[in-house]
Amino acid sequence: MFGVIVDCAIYRDGRRAKGPEDFSDALDEARASGDAFLWIGTYEPTEAEFDHVRREFGLHPLAVEDALNAHQRPKLEVYDDSLFVVLKPVLYDEATDTVSAGELMLFIGDSFVVTVRHGEGAPLAAVRHRLEQEPDVLRHGPTAVLYAVSDAVVDHYIEVAAELQSDLEELEAEVFAPNASDTKNTAARIYGFKRQVLEFRRATNPLLAPMDRLAFGQVPFVHEHAQPFFRDVADHLTKASEYIEGLDRLLSDALAAHLAQTGLRQNDDVRKISAWAAIAAVPTMVAGIYGMNFDHMPELHRWWGYPGVLVLMAGACLGLHRLFKRRGWL
């Protein structure tokens, strides 16, 4: 079990304090003191590895099952002895311009915080380090941890949304480029981009209701004076959600514009092909007429017949070419 514990510490009066190495004894000490709490961080534990934590902290089996299996929507659930919160931090890969989502679960109790992390992108190490530099905040106990983690995750949403906005501007420039030709690749990029936005929306939109509950409702194990801070997080989350909705609409508009441009280019190609076919039809028709094997045909035995027919075909072709050029078909 200890191999999956990333960090374990007692915090007393907002400061990290020395405590027993065994987290069971540390929890007893935190509960006995009344002004301390225990924060345990784990990374992708198995059921067997997490079973001891479940029993010691009295965590609800359904919440533990969700925490171990992952693939959960962001949510907030209240149980008798703890509060269970699921967050989905996102990670933007600049090399591939893709968004991936991890999962972060928090169990909040009277004197403890247990975090379970799946995947990458969770800012737990940075949040813990920052909180340890701010004892006035950390003094508020598990509520401070829940707020700091939520705030870090949501703030990163806005940063990732800004990166996606920059990528979208490049994609729009490609769509509306006058010499755009690789339509198949452009369409594939747009659809790929929409999948990134969809992945992003799965992380942000379901979190709106839980964050409103923390900001405006009475939630057990969360200090009532923390509501203004959670309202600030909820406001940032709403901003990020609106940002993502805007990106999705712009992508839909870009796809529609791309398909319209593709249709226009296809119409232009059809008109050009039709114009050249009409031009080619004239000499074909004349040649077909004079290629018939009749004995008595006008101009066959006149000296000017052959050059006259060539001039007629060339003149007709030139006239059609000028006509189609003037009308924009060529």
Side-chain angles (χ1 to χ4, degrees):
M1 172 60 202
F2 297 102
V4 298
I5 294 182
V6 179
D7 200 351
C8 176
I10 290 180
Y11 294 90
R12 181 177 290 105
D13 195 29
R15 300 184 184 277
R16 188 168 182 144
K18 292 183 179 180
E21 294 185 359
D22 184 80
F23 67 82
S24 300
D25 297 334
L27 178 61
D28 292 338
E29 180 178 321
R31 283 174 169 168
S33 65
D35 62 346
F37 72 96
L38 177 66
W39 183 358
I40 294 180
T42 66
Y43 178 69
E44 297 185 354
T46 64
E47 182 177 356
E49 292 170 334
F50 201 71
D51 186 63
H52 187 41
V53 174
R54 178 189 65 79
R55 287 185 282 105
E56 290 294 330
F57 289 86
L59 305 179
H60 197 280
L62 292 178
V64 171
E65 181 181 356
D66 289 344
L68 296 178
N69 294 333
H71 304 293
Q72 303 296 317
R73 287 164 52 90
K75 60 182 179 179
L76 183 152
E77 294 180 348
V78 178
Y79 297 98
D80 293 337
D81 299 321
S82 63
L83 180 71
F84 180 59
V85 181
V86 178
L87 303 172
K88 292 182 75 70
V90 296
L91 183 65
Y92 177 79
D93 188 350
E94 295 184 1
T96 58
D97 295 335
T98 57
V99 173
S100 59
E103 291 191 46
L104 178 59
M105 291 80 168
L106 296 93
F107 294 90
I108 308 295
D110 54 351
S111 300
F112 67 86
V113 177
V114 177
T115 59
V116 181
R117 179 167 63 92
H118 294 269
E120 302 298 329
L124 284 178
V127 170
R128 187 188 287 260
H129 178 73
R130 178 164 56 84
L131 283 175
E132 289 177 352
Q133 308 302 316
E134 300 176 357
D136 291 339
V137 177
L138 198 56
R139 189 175 292 116
H140 292 88
T143 299
V145 177
L146 177 60
Y147 160 72
V149 173
S150 302
D151 185 57
V153 169
V154 171
D155 283 349
H156 194 58
Y157 286 163
I158 298 177
E159 296 175 8
V160 173
E163 295 285 353
L164 290 177
Q165 176 66 39
S166 177
D167 291 342
L168 178 57
E169 291 174 357
E170 296 178 4
L171 185 58
E172 286 179 327
E174 178 181 327
V175 169
F176 295 104
N179 58 347
S181 58
D182 192 355
T183 58
K184 183 181 296 186
N185 183 59
T186 301
R189 286 192 61 192
I190 295 176
Y191 277 113
F193 207 129
K194 285 185 73 69
R195 289 198 63 83
Q196 303 302 317
V197 173
L198 176 62
E199 182 74 14
F200 205 166
R201 291 175 66 181
R202 288 173 178 168
T204 58
N205 287 6
L207 187 59
L208 290 169
M211 208 49 64
D212 282 343
R213 188 176 175 186
L214 288 169
F216 301 102
Q218 297 293 329
V219 180
F221 308 107
V222 176
H223 201 284
E224 60 180 5
H225 295 300
Q227 287 185 348
F229 297 95
F230 284 109
R231 281 198 291 270
D232 182 67
V233 177
D235 181 64
H236 290 176
L237 180 60
T238 301
K239 179 180 178 181
S241 180
E242 292 174 350
Y243 210 154
I244 297 166
E245 293 292 338
L247 289 176
D248 189 58
R249 287 194 297 269
L250 287 174
L251 279 170
S252 298
D253 293 342
L255 179 60
H258 171 69
L259 294 177
Q261 285 185 328
T262 301
L264 288 174
R265 283 193 290 268
Q266 289 177 343
N267 289 339
D268 289 340
D269 293 340
V270 170
R271 286 192 301 178
K272 290 179 180 179
I273 293 172
S274 300
W276 285 112
I279 293 173
V282 172
T284 301
M285 179 186 67
V286 175
I289 292 174
Y290 281 93
M292 294 185 292
N293 295 321
F294 293 110
D295 292 332
H296 303 287
M297 291 184 67
E299 294 89 29
L300 284 181
H301 301 288
R302 298 182 182 276
W303 66 268
W304 50 267
Y306 179 69
V309 170
L310 291 179
V311 170
L312 173 65
M313 290 190 293
C317 291
L318 181 61
L320 288 173
H321 185 274
R322 289 183 176 180
L323 174 65
F324 291 140
K325 192 77 171 179
R326 186 163 54 249
R327 293 188 176 183
W329 284 39
L330 292 175

